[in-house]
C-alpha cells in the first residue's frame, strides 16, 4: 500500500495488466472492466468484465435489473427460526470498521 488515496482502476491495472485474458484491464472505454460494485455501502464486492462483451453483458444486466441477488448470512450462536426475512437497514460503524443490522 502506498498510503495514498487510490482509485479501484489503479488496482485493476496493476493486478491484471499483464493477464492476456483480461482485455479490459487498461481500457478506459470499458471503465477498466469494472461493471458494478455490489452493495457499495457494505462489502463492496466488484463485478469485473474481462472482455468488452463480458463488461457490456454485466453492465446491461445490472442496468435492467436482470440480476437477482441472494445473500447468505453467517451467524454465531443459536438460530431460533429456520427461515425468515430481515427488513432492516444496514448500518456502518467507522470506529470498528464493521457493518451491522441497525
Amino acid at each position: 500500500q502506498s498510503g495514498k488515496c487510490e482509485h479501484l482502476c489503479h488496482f485493476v491495472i496493476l493486478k491484471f495488466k499483464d493477464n492476456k485474458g483480461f482485455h479490459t484491464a487498461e481500457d478506459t472505454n470499458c471503465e477498466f472492466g469494472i461493471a458494478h460494485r455490489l452493495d457499495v455501502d457494505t462489502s463492496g464486492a466488484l463485478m469485473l468484465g474481462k472482455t468488452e462483451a463480458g463488461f457490456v453483458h454485466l453492465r446491461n444486466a445490472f442496468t435492467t435489473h436482470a440480476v437477482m441477488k441472494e445473500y447468505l448470512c453467517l451467524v454465531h450462536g443459536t438460530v431460533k427460526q429456520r427461515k425468515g426475512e430481515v427488513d432492516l437497514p444496514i448500518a456502518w460503524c467507522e470506529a470498528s470498521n464493521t457493518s451491522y443490522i441497525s
Side-chain angles (χ1 to χ4, degrees):
Q1 293 180 357
S2 67
K4 298 177 185 174
C5 183
E6 296 181 10
H7 193 275
L8 288 171
C9 65
H10 298 136
F11 170 78
V12 173
I13 293 168
L14 290 172
K15 180 79 176 164
F16 300 109
K17 67 179 180 176
D18 297 325
N19 184 326
K20 302 286 186 232
F22 204 123
H23 303 239
T24 59
E26 297 184 278
D27 187 347
T28 58
N29 293 325
C30 288
E31 299 179 40
F32 308 96
I34 303 171
H36 192 73
R37 185 162 180 189
L38 300 166
D39 305 316
V40 69
D41 294 332
T42 56
S43 66
L46 296 175
M47 295 291 296
L48 302 173
K50 291 171 63 174
T51 64
E52 184 176 354
F55 169 79
V56 170
H57 175 77
L58 287 169
R59 183 58 65 90
N60 287 338
F62 281 98
T63 301
T64 61
H65 303 284
V67 174
M68 185 200 80
K69 298 178 189 176
E70 183 175 279
Y71 297 86
L72 172 68
C73 179
L74 303 176
V75 298
H76 176 65
T78 304
V79 178
K80 294 178 182 175
Q81 293 178 298
R82 187 155 168 74
K83 248 178 139 172
E85 181 177 317
V86 177
D87 189 15
L88 297 168
I90 296 174
W92 181 258
C93 177
E94 288 190 33
S96 64
N97 196 28
T98 57
S99 57
Y100 60 94
I101 297 172
S102 59

